[in-house]
Amino acid sequence: MNRKIFANLLKHSQNDISKITQPYILETFGVEVKRCDTLEQYAEVIDDACLNRYFSKYWQNDMKKWKYSGLALIQEVNALKPRAVLDVGCGYNEFKGKIDNLIGIDPYNNLADLEVGTLEYKTDQKFDVILCLGSVNFGSKDKIIAEVSRCVNLLADGGTMFFRVNPGVQHDKPEADWIEFFAWNVPFIIDLAQMFNLQILDIRDDTNQ
C-alpha cells in the first residue's frame, strides 16, 4: 500500500470515510477513481490510477542513458539463446524484435504485448530470461517481495533475471509526486536472493553517479 497516499487520506478523513469525496480525490491526487469502502481500498486504487496516469501519459524512457540495462542488454540476453523472455513492465516494448522470443507485459502502456500487471499475469509458461527494468520499484516492501516472488515463479530452472532498481530517487515530474518509489539497497537484494534461493551474478551502478 502506498504510504504517502494513505497518510493523506487518513489525515483528511480522520477515519470518516464519507469525507473521501471525488472532488477531494481529483483536487489532491489529480485522478478519478471508483467509490471504495475503506481507506486502504482508496489508497490502492488511487495509487494505481496515479501510476497509470504517469506511465501512460508523462513518463519517457531513454534507453541510451543506461550503461548496462539499456541497449547493451540486447546482445547480453541474446547471447544466452533464450527460448522465452519476459519483459515485466516493458513500457514502450522497445526490446520487441531486438531480443529473441520476447513477450512484453505492462499494465499502463498499450504498446505492450499484454496490458497486465506482474501479479495479474496468468500463464503456465516458464521464461529463461526475465527483465524487470525499473518496473519493480513502487510501493511497500511487501509489494516488492510479492512481485519478485511472482517473477521467480515464472522463471525456468537455471534462468536469469535482470533488474534495474531505484535507490529511492523520486522522479522530478509533478505527475509523479504521489508515486512511492521503493528504496532498494544491496542488503535488501541479498535478503531477496536468500529468500528465493537465487544466486546474485552481478550488481552494477548503472548511472555513473
Side-chain angles (χ1 to χ4, degrees), residues 41-200:
Q41 290 174 358
Y42 269 120
E44 293 288 346
V45 298
I46 292 170
D47 179 46
D48 188 62
C50 288
L51 286 164
N52 187 13
R53 178 185 61 161
Y54 179 59
F55 285 104
S56 66
K57 296 180 180 179
Y58 298 100
W59 173 80
Q60 294 292 325
N61 188 30
D62 182 3
M63 280 289 184
K64 295 179 181 178
K65 75 180 180 180
W66 305 112
K67 184 176 181 181
Y68 301 113
S69 64
L71 299 176
L73 267 183
I74 297 171
Q75 182 176 353
E76 188 167 355
V77 173
N78 283 336
L80 298 173
K81 300 188 182 306
R83 295 163 298 178
V85 178
L86 181 66
D87 191 350
V88 172
C90 65
Y92 297 100
N93 215 359
E94 294 170 79
F95 287 129
K96 189 71 174 180
K98 300 171 184 173
I99 289 179
D100 298 337
N101 306 315
L102 180 140
I103 296 172
I105 65 171
D106 195 303
Y108 309 123
N109 198 308
N110 60 14
L111 293 180
D113 295 306
L114 296 169
E115 286 189 69
V116 64
T118 313
L119 299 177
E120 294 74 33
Y121 179 48
K122 306 297 182 186
T123 181
D124 294 326
Q125 187 173 10
K126 297 290 186 179
F127 296 88
D128 298 315
V129 173
I130 295 178
L131 308 176
C132 302
L133 307 177
S135 55
V136 184
N137 274 339
F138 313 105
S140 66
K141 181 178 179 180
D142 288 344
K143 182 183 177 187
I144 298 296
I145 291 173
E147 291 181 346
V148 172
S149 176
R150 178 61 181 144
C151 291
V152 171
N153 289 337
L154 292 168
L155 191 67
D157 290 343
T160 304
M161 294 194 289
F162 294 84
F163 282 78
R164 182 196 303 135
V165 297
N166 187 332
V169 178
Q170 185 77 26
H171 289 198
D172 56 7
K173 288 184 171 61
E175 293 81 10
D177 284 350
W178 288 106
I179 295 174
E180 183 179 18
F181 291 86
F182 181 79
W184 283 79
N185 56 47
V186 172
F188 180 62
I189 293 171
I190 293 171
D191 286 346
L192 284 176
Q194 293 174 343
M195 185 183 303
F196 295 111
N197 194 29
L198 303 172
Q199 179 184 0
I200 298 173

Side-chain angles (χ1 to χ4, degrees), residues 20-36 42 44-53 57:
I20 306 300
T21 63
Q22 291 301 325
Y24 153 71
I25 293 171
L26 185 60
E27 180 181 353
T28 304
F29 305 105
V31 296
E32 296 184 55
V33 301
K34 64 183 181 181
R35 185 183 179 281
C36 297
Y42 269 120
E44 293 288 346
V45 298
I46 292 170
D47 179 46
D48 188 62
C50 288
L51 286 164
N52 187 13
R53 178 185 61 161
K57 296 180 180 179

